[in-house]
Amino acid sequence: MKAVTSRYLVTGGAGYVGGTVARHLVEAGHEVTVLDDLSTGFAEGVPAGAEFIEGRIQDAAKWLDGSYGGVLHFAAFSQVGESVAKPEKYWENNVGGTMALLAAMRTAGVRKLVFSSTAATYGEPESVPITESARTAPTSPYGASKLAVDHMIGGECAAHGLAAVSLRYFNVAGAYGACGERHDPESHLVPLVLEVALGRREAINVYGDDYPTPDGTCVRDYIHVADLAEAHLLALDAMTPGEHLVCNLGNGNGFSVREVVETVRRVTGHPVPEVIAARRPGDPAVLVASAETARERLGWHPSRPDLADIVRDAWAFTQERERGRA
Ligand SMILES: NC(=O)c1ccc[n+]([C@@H]2O[C@H](COP(=O)([O-])OP(=O)(O)OC[C@H]3O[C@@H](n4cnc5c(N)ncnc54)[C@H](O)[C@@H]3O)[C@@H](O)[C@H]2O)c1
C-alpha cells in the first residue's frame, strides 16, 4: 500500500536543519515548497525535488493556501550572542515573523505545524536530564523569542484548533549527504573543531575547564541532524487538533567539549590544538535532554547516537565543501 503523502511548506528550508528535513520529506514522497529569504541560508541547500520560493515568512500569506497539509517552521535567526547585541532583530523576525505565519495559516485553513524550538528556552537547568516540565527561564533574547513563539502556538491550538508540535532541539550536529552545517559566523562546536582539523582555524577555544564535570569542560547533548529530521516526519503523524505537544530532542547522552575535540582528532587524524579561555557568561555546566516524551508520543528512536558517527558525517560534508572551494 502506498503511504499517504501531502504537500508541505518548509520555512527556512535553505538552512541546515530545514534543508535536511525538506530532503527527508521529498524522499518520503511528499510535495515540498521551501520558503526562505536566504538571509542565513543558501539556495543550493534547497533539496532537489522541492519547489523554492525566495521570500520572507512575514509575507507568507502571499503563497500559503489550502492545498498545503501543513507547515514545518525553521525560519529564524539563531545566534545567541547576536541576540544579546540586537534583541529587536530577534523579536521582529522570530516572533513577528511567526505571528504573520500563524495568521496566514489561519486564513488559508492550514492546520498542522511543526516548530523548531530549542533547549535555550530552559536557560540554566535546575536538574538534568531536562524534561519538558522543567522551568523555562531563557538567558538570551534568542531563547526568549523561541519561548514566546511556543506560547503563541499554544494559544493558537487552544483557541483555533491548530495541531502543533514544538520540537526543542539540543545540540544538532552531523550531516546528511549534501545537507550540512554552514553558519556564518559559525558558533557551533563540531563545525568549529572541524575547521581547526582542516587548518582553516589555528586552535579551538575551550571556554572554561573548571566546571563541575568529569573533565572540567561543559557537557552537551549532541543529536544527529538525520535523527532530528526523522522526528519531524513522525511529528506530522502524531499531532492532534487543539493540542500543542512539546518534545525535547536529544540523545540523553552528554559529551564534554574535550570529548568532542578528542573525537575529532580520532576521526580526522589531524591535530587539534586547544586554547583554554574564560567561561562564557550564561553557559551552564551540563545540558542534557530527557527525550522520553518524543519516544512515547512520536515513537522516535534516534539511530545515530554515537558521537564518532556524528563527527564522521560532519567531516565528510566539510571535506566535500572544501573540495568545492578548491
Ligand atoms: N542548529 C541547531 O543546533 C539548533 C538548535 C536549536 C534550535 N534550532 C532552530 O532550528 C532552526 C533552524 O536552524 P539552522 O541551524 O538550520 O539555522 P539556519 O540559519 O541554517 O537556517 C535558518 C533558515 O531560515 C531562513 N530565514 C531566517 N529568517 C527568515 C525569514 N524571515 N523568512 C524566510 N526565511 C528566513 C534563513 O535564510 C535560513 O535558511 C532555527 O529556528 C533554530 O532556531 C537550531
Side-chain angles (χ1 to χ4, degrees), residues 102-103 105-106 110-115 148-166 239-246:
L102 287 175
M105 289 177 67
R106 213 180 300 127
V110 179
R111 304 283 65 204
K112 278 174 112 174
L113 176 70
V114 184
F115 172 60
V149 171
D150 276 342
H151 286 310
M152 260 162 45
I153 293 172
E156 192 73 21
C157 293
H160 303 301
L162 181 72
V165 180
S166 285
M239 56 177 67
T240 42
E243 185 193 25
H244 178 213
L245 178 62
V246 177

Side-chain angles (χ1 to χ4, degrees), residues 12 14-17 36-41 55-58 74-76 78 93 116-118 142 146 169-170 172 183 188:
Y16 170 44
V17 182
D36 197 302
D37 66 0
L38 303 182
S39 50
T40 61
R56 301 191 81 202
I57 51 171
Q58 283 79 349
F74 303 89
S78 59
N93 201 38
S116 300
S117 187
T118 165
Y142 165 62
K146 288 281 174 169
Y169 316 159
F170 279 61
V172 190
H183 300 113
H188 292 159

Side-chain angles (χ1 to χ4, degrees), residues 246-268:
V246 177
C247 296
N248 289 341
L249 290 182
N251 283 309
N253 288 326
F255 295 100
S256 71
V257 172
R258 274 235 163 88
E259 284 176 294
V260 172
V261 173
E262 208 33 68
T263 306
V264 168
R265 288 184 183 125
R266 222 176 39 245
V267 166
T268 66

Side-chain angles (χ1 to χ4, degrees), residues 149-230:
V149 171
D150 276 342
H151 286 310
M152 260 162 45
I153 293 172
E156 192 73 21
C157 293
H160 303 301
L162 181 72
V165 180
S166 285
L167 297 173
R168 290 191 173 152
Y169 316 159
F170 279 61
N171 287 55
V172 190
Y176 184 64
C179 305
E181 223 170 335
R182 46 190 298 199
H183 300 113
D184 185 18
E186 189 53 77
S187 61
H188 292 159
L189 183 62
V190 172
L192 283 175
V193 186
L194 289 174
E195 283 184 17
V196 180
L198 209 54
R200 284 196 165 264
R201 249 171 221 275
E202 276 182 17
I204 188 74
N205 282 336
V206 175
Y207 296 103
D209 64 350
D210 55 354
Y211 282 94
T213 58
D215 67 16
T217 65
C218 286
V219 169
R220 295 290 180 268
D221 188 333
Y222 295 89
I223 171 172
H224 196 293
V225 69
D227 281 339
L228 191 85
E230 282 161 15

Side-chain angles (χ1 to χ4, degrees), residues 17-48:
V17 182
T20 308
V21 175
R23 184 163 159 198
H24 276 75
L25 287 166
V26 169
E27 286 172 356
H30 297 294
E31 226 180 294
V32 174
T33 302
V34 165
L35 173 62
D36 197 302
D37 66 0
L38 303 182
S39 50
T40 61
F42 305 86
E44 61 270 27
V46 177

Side-chain angles (χ1 to χ4, degrees), residues 83-101:
S83 81
V84 174
K86 298 179 187 164
E88 66 287 0
K89 182 172 171 182
Y90 281 69
W91 293 111
E92 190 280 326
N93 201 38
N94 297 1
V95 177
T98 306
M99 216 188 269
L101 179 67

